[in-house]
Amino acid sequence: MVHSVPDLTGGAGPVLDFERRILDNVPEIEHWFRQQWQERSPPFYASVDLRNAGFKLAPVDTNLFPGGFNNLSEDALPCAVQASQVAIERTCPDALRLLLVPERHTRNIYYLLNVSRLARILSATGLEVRVGSLSEEVTAPTEITLPGGESLRVEPLVRNGARLGTAGFDPCIVLLNNDLSAGAPPILRGLDPDQTLMPPLHAGWSVRRKSHHFACYDEVAAEFARLVGVDPWTFNPLFARCGEVDFRDSAANECLATQVERLLSEIAGRYREHGIREKPFVIVKADAGTYGMGIMTVRDASEVASLNRKQRNKMAVVKEGLQVTEVIIQEGVPSYETLHQSVAEPVVYMIDRYVVGGFHRVHPDRGIDENLNAPGMHFVPLPFFCSCNLPDQRAEPGTSRHNRFYIYGVIARLALLAAALELDRGAPQAESPRADTPALVG
Amino acid sequence: MVHSVPDLTGGAGPVLDFERRILDNVPEIEHWFRQQWQERSPPFYASVDLRNAGFKLAPVDTNLFPGGFNNLSEDALPCAVQASQVAIERTCPDALRLLLVPERHTRNIYYLLNVSRLARILSATGLEVRVGSLSEEVTAPTEITLPGGESLRVEPLVRNGARLGTAGFDPCIVLLNNDLSAGAPPILRGLDPDQTLMPPLHAGWSVRRKSHHFACYDEVAAEFARLVGVDPWTFNPLFARCGEVDFRDSAANECLATQVERLLSEIAGRYREHGIREKPFVIVKADAGTYGMGIMTVRDASEVASLNRKQRNKMAVVKEGLQVTEVIIQEGVPSYETLHQSVAEPVVYMIDRYVVGGFHRVHPDRGIDENLNAPGMHFVPLPFFCSCNLPDQRAEPGTSRHNRFYIYGVIARLALLAAALELDRGAPQAESPRADTPALVG
């Protein structure tokens, strides 16, 4: 599908001010990012889902094991290679061999195309790359044929003392593209410190919490808001969390109903303050969930009490059959971007501290207030010239594609900074990752 | 003009072996480059002219003040921005403002388009950029309208104590795009050490010598040849130098005739050794020359003695009216690349240690053994997907555009390493830059 630049059908108004402020402060903003990255290290890679409401442009999810490199434009690859060269130079300049550990599901062709694309980027970086699977089904090297004539070789992992590899292959770097929803398996634990494991195990979803990420984002957003002189709410979704829900027992979900009501009323207050005539909604998601599973839109607290069996089952279990007991309640940001008359949301891909491309996730059957990461979605790569690092400061706000995508890149990089902060604080030697996270921050 | 991939009409044979060896050793090569760049710093930017004879692929000139950014594909800009972010992070992370000092000739539209393109890349890096001219003609800020609706503002330089800037603008970085052929003017000397001057003054042509660069390239080439197991001559042109020529007095040029004869005979020996049926030729160039001035093709030593008045005058004076007394005699590498039936040579652009794009210099009226940098030339950007960092290791030698351009990038980066070595050795605190350079190295 050819990419036309998405229509922004939503209300003009405050977001254009925000755009103008960003474009007026490009040197200060880039200088600030440079300073931030001197103080902390970015994750190896990340993708950020954004929602653009016209009056608000905010990240709603940050993925530290991005699975859609195949959705980037082919033209984006040289920048991805260059960024991964920087990452390798910074973290492990002596590396010669890299082991990529993907998700277990070896039958999802789209995911395998992602793995193949990633392996190609890393090879071009100048590393010998092998793919080693955690899946019990992979008992011998397996050549998988992919559409477009590509093929991907997947090998069983081999643990040799404290070293992880595949048969005859001892890598310097182990790169996870597996989000460890079910926890880090023993074969990944206690690796030789000389074998660089990226991202670290505590970046996996068995440890990570969305609410912790967004608490870190609050801090980053507050500082950035001071820098450019805007209200942080313009690019920061409010959120709350509940730590002990049980979707199979409605009576147990009083905390959830209370938090939903409180958050809806806070959003309504912000809408009044900014003159926005919209009906507030929240998104309830598994605090450790991924793959678009365990997500619902709630427009009224009463909906939480009256979930039907199907909805309850859908919310109760996420990837790899895990029970959901912790949820994040996030301010819903309507998406007013459309592509080919379908609701769309931008997804920005980063390697090291650089935006390397992105795409629009498009869903023809979903509304502006719904999760688009669901069966039926498709992806439209951002055109390469809109590569998020070429603002056009002479264009009028709202008219330039370069500027729209530059601003996407800025917001995505703020989420990346939040992820860096989150991983620093969550590192095993640090204190409990969520001890300093208040229940409701905004 | 649309870019088709150049035909390589020259003899197949050894260069394909060389290509295969490079592609078989990508991880080792990239690892080696990473090690090299841990030990030395690349110049801010550079461009390298290559000649591809089929049996030999070699750099023939390395420019530390590249003047053709406007000839790169628009698609190459995001990688250029990313590379210049890396350069700024490495050299001067606190920078907010950059002053670009171009060549004096403010009436050459193509050159001004280069300055404008460069300013755009640097602005997108997140710097406030101003252009300050050394030209006496620029006495007030001047807005120059360029084709395509662009405009470029050029301001007079202002020296304030040890700080260089323009009126009301005090930059952290001064970036030279002026090759200082006539020496560094006083306004650039003795700058505040807190004001980063890039490239350093000794990168200017009043100090630099091509023969010194190629002596450094000899060392780099020897090491790289060991790494990949090939004869360094495959990618290294032989050369000699004469330090005291006088083109207006043929009798004074015995040294030149002797060196030409010696070099022609050495090339003939290599041709015999490699079974190449070609007539050797050499290129005589001003050792400090640029802009394609002061260059001639010599096929026999007797030609040097019998130059006519026009030829002598052409060789005697280069840019800014400088007298030529030092020359380099370089092995001529025939160009067997053609684009649209014209002889073409690749030019590779780099920022920091990254290849960011390139183009073919094409001249319809020149032969395969002539300098193409002459009036009548034109430029065809390399297509972006051939961005020199995406080798296709599965393709057969000689069939892949990705691979051809990857190899161009490797050779250009070897020349960049040589330039880094050259600048280190030529730094004012070091010994005389050419003390350790033998007269003939190959």
Side-chain angles (χ1 to χ4, degrees), chain B residues 100-104 106 131-135 138 154-157 166:
Chain B
L100 182 59
V101 180
E103 296 288 343
R104 289 168 202 261
T106 48
V131 178
S133 180
L134 285 165
S135 167
V138 178
V154 178
E155 299 175 65
L157 288 177
T166 59

Side-chain angles (χ1 to χ4, degrees), chain A residues 2 13 40 86 145 233 250 403:
Chain A
V2 173
R40 51 185 85 117
V86 174
T145 304
W233 180 76
S250 325
N403 288 345

Side-chain angles (χ1 to χ4, degrees), chain A residues 26-28 30-31 34-35 38 75 77-79 81-83 85-86 88-89 93-96 120 123-128 151 353-356 384 387 389-391 393-394 402, chain B residues 26-28 30-31 34-35 38 75 77-79 81-83 85-86 88-89 93-96 120 123-128 151 353-356 384 387 389-391 393-394 402:
Chain A
V26 170
E28 290 75 16
E30 296 299 332
H31 179 252
R34 277 201 293 277
Q35 286 179 314
Q38 286 183 272
D75 290 341
L77 296 192
C79 274
V81 171
Q82 197 176 297
Q85 282 171 332
V86 174
I88 300 298
E89 281 157 14
D94 277 336
L96 271 167
R120 190 168 149 217
S123 295
T125 300
L127 297 165
E128 190 186 341
S151 84
R353 54 205 183 277
Y354 304 101
V355 173
V356 298
F384 185 68
S387 63
N389 70 6
L390 275 174
Q393 282 153 288
R394 287 166 301 193
H402 287 85
Chain B
V26 170
E28 290 74 16
E30 296 299 332
H31 178 252
R34 278 201 293 277
Q35 287 179 313
Q38 285 184 274
D75 290 342
L77 295 191
C79 274
V81 171
Q82 196 176 298
Q85 282 171 333
V86 174
I88 300 298
E89 282 157 13
D94 278 336
L96 272 168
R120 188 167 151 218
S123 295
T125 301
L127 297 164
E128 191 185 341
S151 85
R353 54 204 182 278
Y354 304 101
V355 173
V356 299
F384 185 68
S387 64
N389 70 6
L390 274 174
Q393 282 153 288
R394 286 167 301 194
H402 288 84

